[in-house]
Amino acid sequence: MIEGSSTLDLELLRTFQVVARTGSLAATAEIRHRTLSAISMQMKRLETELDVRLLERGARGVSLTSSGEVLLQEARELLRVHDTLVSRFSGERLSGRVRLGIPEDYARELLDDTLPQFMARYPGILLDVNTDTSGRLARALRKRQLDLAIVLDHASGLEGGETLWHPTPVWAAPIQGAIHREAVVPLAVHPGQCPYRHLAIEGLDSIQRAWRTVFTSTSIHAVEKAIETGMAIGVLDRERVTTAMRALDESDGLPPIRRCVARLHFARGIDDASQPAVEALAQLLRERLRGRGPWQRDALSGRDGGQRPRA
């Protein structure tokens, strides 16, 4: 237990944050460039110093206790304040403006942790974030209205890019009913140039199933609600399938869905003055998302296999 003038090692909190994001001590060891035993010892030390149990260890990884959930929120704020203070006086003196584009479906996950950390680490950089469909983000990137963007490959028209993670699109339907068996399949989708809209239509056309759009919105939360309330089915990332939905497959008469790739793309001709700032953000996105995606932060909050509780 911390007593008197004892202090808490901030590196323990940084490791704890990564464990909270990945749900895995092994993954944390890889990210933090330490051995698995070293990470395990750090977590035991943190629990000893705070005199509280923070993690539940199981066959599928680790999960947070209620005390761990409280600590995670407090640790994020403490490290943000610390990093901002250190950056302001001693280190990360990068400046400039960075215009980032991200798919709307992943905005909340990136805003919860990754982007606030970037702003705390580099207070001199002006961050301008835009959310949209991947197709529209790709168009903005080509017009140099963005400096970099995370784009799903289908419907983007972009070549190259750095692979960050592989989303898992699935058919999502309301938990009750069988509207997916209607003669004309009702769809809830984003507007044109959305990869998941493209995949849904492509799949249904491939098996000659008639379809119609009954709900169109730029908001992923509105699309989710339309599915939950039984208006339509749609294609979502598996991690967005809530407890009010169920995932469908070929046994339900629906076609398989092609996999997607989430890639990081850069605009051509980025201003030399902004290049270091753009690269700094790109590096943080690589560290946080490569091979894992933005969902791993939820691994310790009880989300399992796509059954995401409502916020």
Side-chain angles (χ1 to χ4, degrees), residues 100-103 106 110 133-135 137-138 141 146-167 195-196 258-267 282 285-286 289-291 293-294:
L100 170 68
I102 54 178
Y106 303 102
L110 291 170
T133 63
S134 287
L137 292 175
L141 202 64
L146 297 172
D147 298 308
L148 72 167
I150 297 171
V151 175
L152 302 190
D153 55 352
H154 291 300
S156 74
L158 295 175
E159 297 181 357
E162 302 177 22
T163 297
L164 292 178
W165 78 92
H166 292 80
Y196 285 174
R258 285 198 290 148
R259 296 291 297 272
C260 286
V261 181
R263 292 189 170 97
L264 181 64
H265 292 268
F266 296 82
L285 293 173
R286 294 181 189 110
L289 304 177
R290 183 168 284 169

Side-chain angles (χ1 to χ4, degrees), residues 8 42 81 120 144 152 162 167 173 184 247 250 299-300 307:
L8 187 62
Q42 280 191 323
V81 173
R144 298 176 60 184
L152 302 190
E162 302 177 22
V184 179
E250 293 175 77
L300 298 184
Q307 294 303 309

Side-chain angles (χ1 to χ4, degrees), residues 22-40:
T22 63
S24 166
L25 298 180
T28 301
E30 180 180 350
I31 293 169
R32 297 284 286 164
H33 304 292
R34 291 180 171 86
T35 64
L36 177 58
S37 61
I39 295 298
S40 181

Side-chain angles (χ1 to χ4, degrees), residues 11-308:
E11 287 306 303
L12 298 182
L13 294 180
R14 294 191 192 280
T15 298
F16 175 71
Q17 268 197 319
V18 179
V19 172
R21 178 162 54 86
T22 63
S24 166
L25 298 180
T28 301
E30 180 180 350
I31 293 169
R32 297 284 286 164
H33 304 292
R34 291 180 171 86
T35 64
L36 177 58
S37 61
I39 295 298
S40 181
M41 289 179 62
Q42 280 191 323
M43 292 300 92
K44 289 180 180 178
R45 178 182 163 195
L46 183 61
E47 289 180 323
T48 298
E49 291 191 4
L50 295 176
D51 194 24
V52 66
R53 189 171 185 178
L54 302 172
L55 302 173
E56 296 285 356
R57 293 161 175 81
R60 301 186 63 181
V62 292
S63 59
L64 286 179
T65 64
S66 58
S67 296
E69 292 174 354
V70 172
L71 177 62
L72 179 60
Q73 299 303 317
E74 297 293 339
R76 283 174 174 165
E77 179 62 17
L78 175 60
L79 292 172
R80 184 191 67 79
V81 173
H82 172 271
D83 291 347
T84 300
L85 181 64
V86 171
S87 297
R88 182 169 297 155
F89 288 98
S90 63
E92 309 286 6
R93 300 188 183 279
L94 291 180
S95 61
R97 181 187 179 198
V98 180
R99 298 167 301 170
L100 170 68
I102 54 178
E104 201 274 339
D105 294 26
Y106 303 102
R108 183 171 63 182
E109 285 66 37
L110 291 170
L111 287 170
D112 273 355
D113 189 13
T114 303
L115 297 182
Q117 180 181 343
F118 177 79
M119 296 177 69
R121 185 182 297 179
Y122 302 102
I125 295 177
L126 298 177
L127 180 61
D128 183 356
V129 181
N130 292 275
T131 67
D132 212 325
T133 63
S134 287
R136 290 177 177 173
L137 292 175
R139 183 171 59 188
L141 202 64
R142 285 192 291 267
K143 292 182 177 180
R144 298 176 60 184
Q145 295 170 343
L146 297 172
D147 298 308
L148 72 167
I150 297 171
V151 175
L152 302 190
D153 55 352
H154 291 300
S156 74
L158 295 175
E159 297 181 357
E162 302 177 22
T163 297
L164 292 178
W165 78 92
H166 292 80
T168 307
V170 297
W171 291 104
I175 195 70
Q176 300 292 337
I179 60 172
H180 59 285
R181 298 195 181 278
E182 292 181 6
V184 179
V185 179
L187 293 178
V189 293
H190 287 315
Q193 296 186 302
C194 170
Y196 285 174
R197 176 193 179 105
H198 174 78
L199 290 174
I201 294 172
E202 175 190 66
L204 292 173
D205 286 347
S206 72
I207 61 171
Q208 299 182 329
R209 284 289 302 275
W211 56 270
R212 65 187 180 99
T213 57
V214 300
F215 188 85
T216 302
S217 175
T218 58
S219 168
I220 182 59
H221 304 295
V223 169
E224 288 177 346
K225 196 67 175 179
I227 296 172
E228 289 180 335
T229 56
M231 287 184 63
I233 68 171
V235 172
L236 302 176
D237 191 303
R238 179 177 293 277
E239 297 292 346
R240 298 209 73 94
V241 177
T242 72
T243 53
M245 305 178 197
R246 60 192 178 104
L248 305 177
D249 55 28
E250 293 175 77
S251 66
D252 298 292
L254 292 171
I257 302 173
R258 285 198 290 148
R259 296 291 297 272
C260 286
V261 181
R263 292 189 170 97
L264 181 64
H265 292 268
F266 296 82
R268 294 183 178 180
I270 296 173
D271 182 76
D272 289 344
S274 296
Q275 185 67 49
V278 171
E279 181 54 38
L281 178 55
Q283 183 56 33
L284 182 60
L285 293 173
R286 294 181 189 110
E287 293 172 1
R288 288 302 183 89
L289 304 177
R290 183 168 284 169
R292 296 177 297 274
W295 303 104
Q296 293 300 325
R297 68 177 192 88
D298 290 325
L300 298 184
S301 60
R303 299 186 180 184
D304 179 20
Q307 294 303 309
R308 185 171 60 88

